[in-house]
Every structure is written in C-alpha cells, then in structure tokens.
Amino acid sequence: MAISSQRSSDGSRSYSLYLIPGAIGFILIVLIPQLANLGLSFTAWKGVGTPRPVGLQNYHRLLTDDQFWGSMYHTLLFIVSMTVIPVCIGLVLAALLFDYVRDQFGEWVSSFFRAGFYLPQILPVTVAGVLWGWILNPVGVINITLKAIGLDNLAQNWIGDATYALAAVSLVIVWIQVGYCLVVFMAGLSRIDPSLYEAAELDGANWWSRLVTITIPLLAPEIFVVVLTTLIAALKVFAPIFVITAGGPDNSTLVPSYLTYYHFFTTQRVGYAAAIAVVQTTLTIALAVIFLRFQSQQEAKE
Amino acid sequence: MKRIARLALALGTAMLMTSIGHAEQKTFKIWWFEEPTTAQGIVWKKALEEFKTKHPDVTVSFEQKTFQQLQASGGMILNSDQAPDVLEYNKGNATAGLVASQGLLTNLDAYVKKEGWDKILNEGDFVLSRYDEKGIYGSGPVWGVSVFGEYVSCFYNIDMFEKAGLKPPTTLEEWVASMEAFKQKGLTPLALGAIDTSGQHLLASLAYTKADDAWVQNYQGLKAPLDGAPYLYAAQTLVDWVSKGYINKDSTGMKDPDAALLFTSGKAPMYVSGTWNLGTFASTIKDFKWGQFVIPTPKYSVGSTGNLWVVPKGSKNPDLAAEWISLTLSPKYQAELGNAGGVPIAADLSAITNPIGKNAAAVFKQISDKSGLGFYPDWPVPGYYDVLNQKDTGLFQGSLTAEQFVEQIKQVYDDAQENQ
C-alpha cells in the first residue's frame, strides 16, 4: 500500500519494479553468456579443458579468412531476401487484400489469403526446410513437374549448383517472411481512416497512387518495426541454411551463424567461433541502434 | 506403554532398514545413440534385458541419445556430473581422442586383461581404442571398446547386373567397364549424394587405390603435410566420371537418403555407402536382389571398427560397465548382431544364419585380417567432414578443378598438421 500512497512522487520507481523479472532474464540468458562469449573470443579452446589466452589472434585470423568474408557477403544478399523483398511484397499484398480483395470479394476471402500467407510462419523452420529440400532437389517435385510439362530446359540443380543455390534458399526465406510482413501491415492498415481512400478515389487516384501517397506514408511506423526485426533476422539467419544446404555447395550459401556453429562444434576452434559471434553481434546491435535513431528522428520531424 | 514403545522401536528399525536398502539400490546409467531399428539397437536392447535380469538389485536406466547430441555436446556432458556409467561414443581423434586426452574417460587397460577382451579382439581391433596423451589414436591406453565393425562398399542391383550380363567387378577396370555398359543403356550407373558422406567415401575409396601403408599412416595420424597425389588421382577420376555420365552432375543437390532412394527404388544400379545401410535396405528393397562388392583397391577400404563403449571418469559402477561391454562382446550377442543384419566384430561365422549379416561379417573379417581398414577421410582434421563435403560439391559441379580441389583440402590439412 505504501506504493500507492507514494504514487505521484515515486511513479517511475514503482513501474521499474515490473522490469525486474525481464531484467533478471536478460542478465542471465543474454548478458552473462554474451560476456562469457566475449571472454572466450580471446582464447583458444577445444570445448573441454582449460581455455588458453591468445589475445587478438582469433580476430586477426578473421581478417584473412575467406570463408568469413564470403559469409558476410552472403549476409548482404540475405538482407535483400529477408527484408527488402518480403517488405515490398508484403506491402503490395497487404494493400491489395485490404483495399481491393476485401471490397470486391468480402472480408472472408481477404482473411483466407492473409491466413494462407501467414502459414509458413507457423511451421517450424526446420520442417519447412526439410520439405523445401525435397521439393528443390534434382529429383524433387519442381523438376519432375517441369519435365512433365515439357519444360526440361528449366529444370535445374537448384540447391546443388552455386549459381542457383543462394537464390533457391532466398526463395524459401521470402516465402517464410512475407506472411509476417503482410499480417503486421494489414493490422496497420486497419487503423487508417477509410475516408482518406474514399476521398482519393473520388479525386481519381488509381490503386498505385493510393498505395504510394496514402498507404506507405501512413504505415511508416509498422514499416520501421518490420524492417528492423527482419533485418536482425537476416543478420543471424541459420536454420534454413542448416537444413537445406549446410552452407554449400562449396560454401556458396555460408553465413556467419553457420560458420560459428561449424567452428564451435566441429573444428574445436571455440575461441574463433566466439570471435565470429562477437563481430556478428556487434554489427547487429550497431545496425539496430542506427535504425532506431533514424526512426526517432523521423518521428520527431513529424 | 511398553508395548507401544516396542512397536515404535520395531517400526523405526524397519524404516531405517528400508532406507538403507534404498540407499544400497544401485542405479546403472547407460546411453547409446543407435536407432532402435538398426542391428545394434535391436540386439543391445535384448542384451539390456538380460543384464537387468542378472542384476535385480540394480536399477538400470537407459537413455536413447542421438549421434548429433553427443557429437555436439559430448565433451560437456562427460565433464559434468550428469554423465552415465557407460555410453556409446564416436571413435576418432576429434571425439574419443579429445575426451580421453582431457582426462574425462576411465582407463580400461585393467579390464582388457580381467575381462579377456584381448582374447576376443586382435590388436588391429584395438587401434581406435587407444589414444595417446595428445588424443591421437593408435597408441596409449585403451579408453573404449568397439563391439562391431563397419565398412564402405558398393551396393549393387543383382537383377540389373544379370540382365546386362555383368558380374560384380573385382578390378577398377571392370568397375569402369560395368559403368560404361549401364551408361550405354541410358542409365546413370552410380547414385551419389554429394551433400553428405557418400561423395567423400567414394573419393577416399579411389584415393586408396593409389595409397600405400606410409601414406595411410601419415594421413590418418596427421604426421606430415598432405601428399596430395592419391587425392589428385581420385579427384581427377571423379571429374572424369561426371563428364562421362557415370555420376550425375546434379548429385550436388542430393543428400545420402535421396541417393539411396534412387538405388532402393531400382533407378540406379549402384550406390557407394557404408554397412549402416544394411538394415534399411534389407527391410525396404522388395523388388530386386541386391548385394555388395568391395571397391577394388590393393589393400585399404574405407571403414573402421565401430563406435566405442566408453566409461566416463565419474562412473560410479565401472565394474558393471565392463560387465556390460563383455556381454555385448559375448558370442551370443555377436551372433545375434550378425543375424540382425549388422556387422559383428568377433562372431563365429557359422553361428550366423542371416545371409546379409553373414556376408558383411565375413567381408569385415577379410578386410580387418589384412589390416586393410583405411578409416574415414575426415578423421585426421577436426571439421574436415564439412570441408570435404563442401569441396566435393565444388568438384562435382565443376567450379573446382582436380588441382584446385587438392590445393584447397591440402591447405586445411596442413594448417591442422602444423598447429596440432
């Protein structure tokens, strides 16, 4: 009861009580392991026994490791397939479902499509990955179908050829990500005043100009959130790569998370794996901070 | 009052005795990662029942693990107080060797004599049981015991061979000729999953056609920088085979199970892989007769004694653990292993009635007797498994030449050799 009597003077302290469970969880599950990881990155360790301090040797090795730089480059490409493409597709689809399908075919059809697009988000990534592995392999459904309809030339070694592997894995990731973007955008659209659209329509604005002039600007907060979360997901992508290609063929789909896993569990270079993880974490945090700054600046302008 | 006191005393004593009794009830913890459907899984389950009957005073607690679980975190488990009394562990420098060198296992030298394992197994069968203080196999104390064997061979479709008028090859030339014959019929002769192990097993098998004793010992023991000549021959041969259509270029998009499916469904006449497929093939192939031929090499085959039974340092019941190992090594369960379609390490062949197990046990004995177990190509270097898989796919899809392939795998090997 003391708390309520001091509410006005002590408001922030009483609220901060609610942060304690989260803070404890954060310290135990995120902060301490991160610090331990940072410590390990300055050692050589085989996973058992005592770590041996080696200073900056692991970081030095990183600079000249082609595999690491290759994996960083692939990360850039995964930002396109996990963030840029799904956000664009998600926006257009959300606007289509909200603004056109719902009006023409009713709420039920629109919800049906929304649920359909969201379905890949519910499936465990590993399950989806195994399924796509079957679909994309040289004797999988895609090639069988292409050959059955006489398009033999289009049948490719999707995940076994470096030319297509990255694109094939990206396709799976886009398929997984679109639903998430779509659902958030549709939720955002529902708070936009319908009269804006009606007015624009009366003024003769077509669907595309309504999307560009009304939907996108008004959805800015949702777009920020979705871009930030998918960007972080892209920087730490692991499961689809692990299940579908294991980083191959010839490392053409290798990403930093998989490289960390590989060194941690198979080459017994735990210190080196830790160093990769440190670089990856630092990059992620830096990007998130820059992004959030940018967002708050934008909001301040408005 | 007196009577009540006496009753209380009796009850108290009884309770005390029961609790002592409970304290004396031993718990024996055992883990393995063989799937329940494999020969080992089936036979060990039976042996475990017998073990339980023999020791009614012991609570036997069995846990099914996965290979991945122990591969990924075995060291940490053995380093904790959660380790069992006996468990199946992967052999090799990077696994059993590592935990042995870190002092996490019980030295089994005393048990080898006491339990008479040296009478059942020959010195060759102990090669992967011994690890020195650096964790390198081949010398030092016995840290684990293997009770089965495994080897890589070529599975072939007997019906397809007979129909084409072919016999299982005994030389490399005959093997190539049989592939050419199938190719002429418009078939891709060899099913292969280059993402998984079969690519590197075929590569190593071909390298062994050019390898002598010194090469194998240096290579597996990480004793010298890699002499790339046998691998260059193997890589060149594979490139050649892909270009001639003996192996499909698209193998780079296939895992072992995909390739195995091509064989089991009768679409491909040959498939190079290990004896761990025996059980599955026996139960899934119904439409044709199949067999195995050993890949024609002068001496060495890809293969090894099987995974090890190891006893963690913290085991509270090492005697029971040794008894368990002896049970699985006994003639009864060795024969059962052969009859379940597995590869027993020391079975009396006449006691095996299952033709698949009998053949596999005989072939294994033949390879083991001439000390022809060349081991697996990824063993010497931790993480080499992934390197070989990645570079194999480069070779198969044509992004790496044979020379580049050897240069790249040599770089990783030499790096590990230098820094060991």
Side-chain angles (χ1 to χ4, degrees):
Chain A
M1 292 307 104
I3 291 171
S4 63
S5 65
Q6 292 173 7
R7 196 190 306 169
S8 54
S9 63
D10 221 6
S12 61
R13 193 190 296 172
S14 62
Y15 279 124
S16 64
L17 277 178
Y18 292 97
L19 292 177
I20 290 174
I24 291 173
F26 175 78
I27 290 167
L28 287 179
I29 296 165
V30 180
L31 194 62
I32 293 177
Q34 282 291 356
L35 292 176
N37 185 65
L38 182 66
L40 274 180
S41 73
F42 299 109
T43 68
W45 189 40
K46 287 183 167 185
V48 288
T50 319
R52 178 170 53 88
V54 291
L56 288 171
Q57 196 181 306
N58 289 324
Y59 291 95
H60 191 251
R61 189 189 153 97
L62 261 184
L63 295 175
T64 54
D65 184 352
D66 292 343
Q67 276 193 333
F68 171 72
W69 290 108
S71 72
M72 291 307 281
Y73 172 68
H74 297 148
T75 301
L76 285 179
L77 300 177
F78 278 117
I79 289 178
V80 175
S81 62
M82 287 189 86
T83 305
V84 181
I85 298 175
V87 167
C88 294
I89 296 180
L91 255 177
V92 172
L93 278 178
L96 256 180
L97 288 179
F98 189 83
D99 189 22
Y100 180 76
V101 175
R102 201 183 56 164
D103 290 349
Q104 299 290 318
F105 303 97
E107 185 74 44
W108 190 87
V109 177
S110 161
S111 300
F112 173 79
F113 278 110
R114 182 170 57 177
F117 283 116
Y118 193 70
L119 200 66
Q121 285 280 319
I122 299 167
L123 272 183
V125 180
T126 39
V127 174
V130 170
L131 290 175
W132 276 101
W134 289 343
I135 294 171
L136 291 166
N137 87 32
V139 289
V141 178
I142 290 188
N143 281 357
I144 290 176
T145 314
L146 286 172
K147 284 175 186 166
I149 54 173
L151 295 171
D152 296 39
N153 293 340
L154 291 181
Q156 299 294 346
N157 184 8
W158 302 107
I159 46 176
D161 188 329
T163 326
Y164 306 107
L166 202 64
V169 177
S170 297
L171 178 84
V172 177
I173 291 173
V174 168
W175 173 78
I176 294 173
Q177 290 287 78
V178 162
Y180 166 66
C181 302
L182 176 84
V183 166
V184 176
F185 292 153
M186 283 193 81
L189 283 171
S190 62
R191 66 170 172 78
I192 295 175
D193 186 354
S195 60
L196 286 172
Y197 285 105
E198 283 161 24
E201 219 166 331
L202 287 175
D203 288 344
N206 61 15
W207 183 81
W208 181 253
S209 48
R210 292 203 301 273
L211 174 77
V212 175
T213 52
I214 303 175
T215 311
I216 294 178
L218 288 177
L219 270 186
E222 282 81 5
I223 295 175
F224 267 119
V225 170
V226 167
V227 168
L228 181 64
T229 48
T230 53
L231 194 65
I232 291 171
L235 290 168
K236 63 185 180 68
V237 61
F238 174 77
I241 307 291
F242 178 75
V243 189
I244 304 175
T245 60
D250 198 9
N251 294 332
S252 61
T253 54
L254 189 69
V255 286
S257 300
Y258 190 83
L259 195 61
T260 309
Y261 164 84
Y262 166 65
H263 282 299
F264 199 106
F265 290 113
T266 62
T267 65
Q268 298 168 2
R269 288 197 173 112
V270 176
Y272 187 53
I276 301 172
V278 167
V279 172
Q280 201 187 354
T281 313
T282 314
L283 266 178
T284 311
I285 293 174
L287 266 174
V289 168
I290 293 170
F291 210 81
L292 287 171
R293 278 260 170 90
F294 180 71
Q295 186 190 9
S296 50
Q297 272 171 12
Q298 289 294 107
E299 273 173 7
K301 267 187 213 163
E302 286 162 17
Chain B
M1 219 33 212
K2 217 175 189 181
R3 200 178 283 171
I4 293 171
R6 217 178 272 167
L7 186 66
L9 186 70
L11 271 175
T13 317
M15 279 172 73
L16 194 66
M17 294 304 284
T18 334
S19 62
I20 290 172
H22 271 298
E24 276 180 356
Q25 180 85 16
K26 271 188 200 170
T27 300
F28 179 70
K29 286 192 347 185
I30 174 166
W31 295 356
W32 66 67
F33 53 75
E34 299 293 336
E35 297 287 332
T37 51
T38 62
Q40 279 84 260
I42 294 165
V43 174
W44 293 351
K45 198 90 193 169
K46 279 191 195 168
L48 198 61
E49 290 310 313
E50 184 177 329
F51 188 83
K52 281 180 190 166
T53 328
K54 272 190 184 164
H55 295 282
D57 55 325
V58 176
T59 310
V60 177
S61 131
F62 162 68
E63 282 181 43
Q64 173 80 51
K65 297 287 168 188
T66 65
F67 177 78
Q68 279 298 341
Q69 258 174 331
L70 290 183
Q71 192 76 351
S73 48
M76 291 174 203
I77 294 166
L78 290 170
N79 212 5
S80 73
D81 57 358
Q82 302 300 311
D85 292 299
V86 64
L87 77 157
E88 181 187 13
Y89 210 72
N90 195 9
K91 71 270 153 180
N93 296 348
T95 45
L98 175 69
V99 291
S101 68
Q102 298 293 329
L104 302 178
L105 299 181
T106 300
N107 179 335
L108 298 176
D109 276 345
Y111 288 107
V112 172
K113 286 259 174 293
K114 197 174 139 201
E115 298 280 330
W117 296 334
D118 52 348
K119 306 257 179 341
I120 306 169
L121 304 171
N122 62 36
E123 199 39 53
D125 296 331
F126 276 116
V127 167
L128 297 172
S129 297
R130 299 184 184 279
Y131 295 91
D132 65 14
E133 66 282 359
K134 276 186 172 173
I136 307 291
Y137 79 93
S139 63
V142 168
W143 298 102
V145 178
S146 175
V147 300
F148 63 100
E150 53 189 46
Y151 59 89
V152 168
S153 65
C154 187
F155 292 94
Y156 73 109
N157 184 321
I158 295 178
D159 291 357
M160 284 171 109
F161 265 66
E162 281 176 355
K163 212 173 148 195
L166 294 165
K167 282 184 184 152
T170 53
T171 63
L172 199 60
E173 291 72 33
E174 282 176 22
W175 193 18
V176 174
S178 67
M179 286 197 266
E180 183 59 38
F182 283 115
K183 179 65 210 160
Q184 293 300 327
K185 288 174 176 292
L187 276 170
T188 304
L190 203 55
L192 188 113
I195 296 179
D196 277 336
T197 51
S198 54
Q200 53 175 283
H201 289 165
L202 179 60
L203 177 87
S205 300
L206 286 170
Y208 284 154
T209 64
K210 297 285 172 201
D212 58 13
D213 293 349
W215 189 87
V216 173
Q217 276 157 24
N218 282 343
Y219 177 73
Q220 292 290 355
L222 211 56
K223 287 178 186 149
L226 180 66
D227 164 13
Y231 269 130
L232 186 62
Y233 166 78
Q236 194 56 58
T237 309
L238 287 181
V239 170
D240 211 30
W241 286 5
V242 172
S243 72
K244 284 183 176 155
Y246 299 165
I247 300 170
N248 197 323
K249 196 173 174 234
D250 289 353
S251 307
T252 51
M254 287 208 269
K255 297 189 173 185
D256 274 348
D258 304 324
L261 191 65
L262 288 178
F263 176 71
T264 55
S265 61
K267 290 196 179 104
M270 290 182 259
Y271 173 52
V272 171
S273 186
T275 42
W276 46 88
N277 288 294
L278 286 171
T280 324
F281 285 4
S283 60
T284 52
I285 303 178
K286 302 285 179 208
D287 306 333
F288 59 87
K289 277 191 289 173
W290 58 279
Q292 300 165 269
F293 61 82
V294 178
I295 294 167
T297 60
K299 180 175 175 181
Y300 289 101
S301 293
V302 178
S304 75
T305 46
N307 303 313
L308 302 169
W309 285 123
V310 298
V311 182
K313 188 77 197 160
S315 168
K316 290 178 191 73
N317 306 295
D319 289 347
L320 280 176
E323 194 186 324
W324 163 256
I325 297 171
S326 292
L327 188 66
T328 52
L329 254 186
S330 66
K332 179 181 169 191
Y333 287 105
Q334 284 290 301
E336 290 245 12
L337 197 59
N339 284 331
V343 190
I345 197 170
D348 174 5
L349 291 182
S350 63
I352 303 176
T353 48
N354 178 339
I356 292 169
K358 198 181 183 94
N359 177 55
V363 174
F364 181 75
K365 190 171 176 338
Q366 193 188 319
I367 299 172
S368 158
D369 283 354
K370 66 173 178 186
S371 299
L373 289 171
F375 305 144
Y376 296 93
D378 63 309
W379 276 15
V381 180
Y384 217 33
Y385 176 87
D386 294 71
V387 173
L388 287 172
N389 278 354
Q390 292 296 343
K391 298 302 157 195
D392 262 356
T393 47
L395 191 67
F396 283 106
Q397 68 174 359
S399 61
L400 292 178
T401 64
E403 285 79 14
Q404 287 167 332
F405 171 84
V406 174
E407 195 185 307
Q408 295 190 9
I409 64 167
K410 181 176 162 59
Q411 202 182 343
V412 179
Y413 184 98
D414 291 356
D415 185 33
Q417 200 266 331
E418 221 172 276
N419 294 309
Q420 62 183 320

